[in-house]
């Protein structure tokens, strides 16, 4: 088994579909075979070798490893349906990173586009881990087009901020956002846990059914559909806090919030307008009030 | 063979295969945790009529519990997994769920589950919340002091029950002191419990009875009031026999507990009228585990 490194040597003139770049598939292939793998560039059929130089090294672990080096902002669907192994992107990546991944690890050491972690799958004790050091676009952990449910397993950890519709229709798993999220976070959430270190945009938890949305600063909850906030620390908070803290290895607002726990924990249930009983939790510092 | 001058009979204790589980009960303070554990482990001295042998294994400091609150670890033993699966959620529902501020967690890993929160969640009447954290499922049941947090399942494992040793003495005070010293020493050990009241029983039993409805009855060979009427196994001068019964997760745990208990008893009992140490068995025909006292003690005359 090899550790495979693909260096992008030519700027991409269009968006590249990277779903064939699977660590466990490439790990046992020769460099020539990897170079011949098909990749779609728009509607044009190309090969790996047209865009990447292939380097193989002996792996020091039994885990299949694939590393992409270069500007991968125009490469979409990296880690699509990943079932094992480790995929590392040394820089930015495009849209739909980790789409439908079931196991393994993806680490993007930069920013990603929209729909990261879309339809991730997994069970109570299984699922993959998607780690993004920078920012992510809209629809993280949401449903794929045409699907009812969003993410249903695994973990997404984002060091920076996300766009809108974070965790839409999520039904299991955990999303951690080190900084802020945009509008409509946890929209129609079914279950699972979303933790955001700083602010969340407009209309959070709209249509929420169940699950937990934790926000570092008071959110702008709708007055209709959510119960009056109460100072209340859920019974599960010590376990949840310890679990979230263990996952965050880099400094961020979420890590600081979990560590210092400044302020009173507030809790509101909703979205009652959707028959929901999800919970929204936040830390209510004395100097900041929910509007 | 003697220890501190106390003869150790050349005999063996006969013990049985059992199924065991462990749960952890936490609460806002140690007192509530103890109260819950006391209720949870009530009526749990013997599988003969209680169906389960259950007792506190040890108290836990906040650093040692899943939610960082004071707690208690409880071990439970039954003859079958099915009995454990029946007893544990029933006791949890009536004795832990009811106790203020408590939470309940799995205390054991394994392939075979014993439901706790998975069974109790229905008390929430639809208002209960499930939360999965790190591959474990918890149920949050709304109650009048907030939420009862209960892990969905614990696990059960194969275990050993019925390790034992007898303490013979001339009068109750001396034997009681020796017994209590043994029980206190055993109580400090992990993976074992001595489920009888104070760790000891005075009604050691034999298999069978003249009454068809009973499958256990008084062990007349050790009853001082019947000496002269039955074949007695009491040593000369013994007017009291108490038995300490030990259940443990492994045979090694039981053996170790027997050694620690016998040693503690002999240390205290030498001047107090403790006359001898022995053990109970059924000829080796019923139980798979035989704990020969001399091997257990590994001591010299």
């Amino acid at each position: 088994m090899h550790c495979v490194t693909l260096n992008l040597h030519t700027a991409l003139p269009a968006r590249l579909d990277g779903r064939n770049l699977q660590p466990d598939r490439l790990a046992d292939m020769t460099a020539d075979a990897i170079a011949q793998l098909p990749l779609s560039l728009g509607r044009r059929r190309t090969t790996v070798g047209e865009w990447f130089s292939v380097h193989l090294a002996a792996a020091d672990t039994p885990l299949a490893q694939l590393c992409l080096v270069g500007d991968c902002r125009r490469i979409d669907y990296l880690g699509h349906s990943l079932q094992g192994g480790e995929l590392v992107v040394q820089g930015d990546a495009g849209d739909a990173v980790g789409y439908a991944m079931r196991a393994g690890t993806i680490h993007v050491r930069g920013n990603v586009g929209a729909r990261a972690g879309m339809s991730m799958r997994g069970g109570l004790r299984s699922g993959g881990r998607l780690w993004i050091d920078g920012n992510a676009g809209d629809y993280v952990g949401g449903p794929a087009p045409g699907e009812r449910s969003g993410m249903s397993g695994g973990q997404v950890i984002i060091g920076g901020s996300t766009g809108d519709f974070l965790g839409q229709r999520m039904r299991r798993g955990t999303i951690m956002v080190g900084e802020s999220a945009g509008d409509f976070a946890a929209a129609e959430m079914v279950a699972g846990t979303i933790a955001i270190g700083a602010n969340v945009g407009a209309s959070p938890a709209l249509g929420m059914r169940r699950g937990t949305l934790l926000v570092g600063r008071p959110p702008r909850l709708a007055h209709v559909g959510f119960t009056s906030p109460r100072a209340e620390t859920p019974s599960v908070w010590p376990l949840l806090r310890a679990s979230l803290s263990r996952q965050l290895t880099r400094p961020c607002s979420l890590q600081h919030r979990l560590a210092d726990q400044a302020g009173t924990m507030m809790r509101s249930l909703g979205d009652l307008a959707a028959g929901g009983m999800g919970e929204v939790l936040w830390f209510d510092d004395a100097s900041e009030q929910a509007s | 063979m003697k220890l501190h001058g106390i003869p150790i009979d050349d005999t063996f204790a006969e013990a049985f295969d059992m199924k065991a589980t462990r749960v952890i009960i936490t609460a806002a303070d140690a007192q509530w945790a103890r109260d819950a554990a006391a209720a949870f482990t009530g009526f749990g001295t013997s599988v003969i009529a209680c169906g389960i042998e259950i007792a506190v294994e040890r108290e836990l400091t906040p650093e040692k519990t899943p939610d960082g609150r004071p707690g208690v670890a409880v071990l439970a033993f039954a003859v079958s997994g099915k009995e454990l699966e029946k007893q544990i959620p029933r006791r949890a529902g009536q004795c832990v769920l009811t106790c203020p501020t408590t939470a309940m967690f799995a205390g054991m890993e394994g392939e075979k589950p014993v439901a706790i929160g998975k069974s109790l969640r229905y008390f929430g009447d639809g208002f209960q919340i499930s939360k999965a954290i790190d591959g474990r499922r918890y149920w949050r049941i709304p109650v009048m002091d907030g939420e009862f947090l209960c892990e969905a399942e614990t696990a059960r494992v194969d275990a050993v029950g019925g390790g034992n040793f007898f303490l013979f003495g001339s009068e109750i005070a001396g034997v009681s002191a020796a017994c209590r010293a043994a029980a206190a020493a055993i109580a400090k050990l992990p993976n074992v419990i001595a489920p009888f009241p104070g760790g000891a029983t005075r009604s050691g039993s034999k298999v069978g009875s003249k009454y068809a409805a009973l499958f256990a009855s008084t062990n007349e060979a050790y009853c001082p009031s019947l000496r002269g009427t039955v074949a007695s196994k009491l040593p000369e001068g013994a007017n009291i026999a108490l038995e300490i019964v030990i259940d443990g997760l492994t045979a090694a745990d039981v053996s170790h507990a027997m050694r620690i208990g016998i040693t503690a008893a002999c240390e205290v009992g030498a001047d107090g009228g403790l006359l001898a140490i022995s053990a109970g068995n059924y000829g080796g025909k019923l139980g798979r585990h035989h704990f020969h006292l001399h091997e257990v003690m590994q001591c010299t005359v």
Side-chain angles (χ1 to χ4, degrees), chain A residues 124-125 155 172 192-193 210-212 234-236 238-240 243 246-247 267 277 279, chain B residues 66-68 105 126-129 131-138 140 147-149 153:
Chain A
L124 178 63
R125 296 185 180 86
Q155 291 178 323
R172 193 185 290 124
T193 302
R210 295 268 178 166
T212 301
S235 60
V236 77
L239 284 80
L240 184 60
S243 175
R246 274 195 298 272
Q247 315 299 331
R267 182 173 186 249
M277 260 193 54
E279 64 184 353
Chain B
D67 62 358
F105 302 96
F127 298 107
Q128 66 272 19
I129 299 172
K131 181 56 68 182
I133 299 174
D134 295 336
R136 306 174 87 101
R137 187 173 298 287
Y138 302 88
R140 299 160 58 184
E147 288 181 333
F148 173 58
L149 178 66
E153 296 171 339

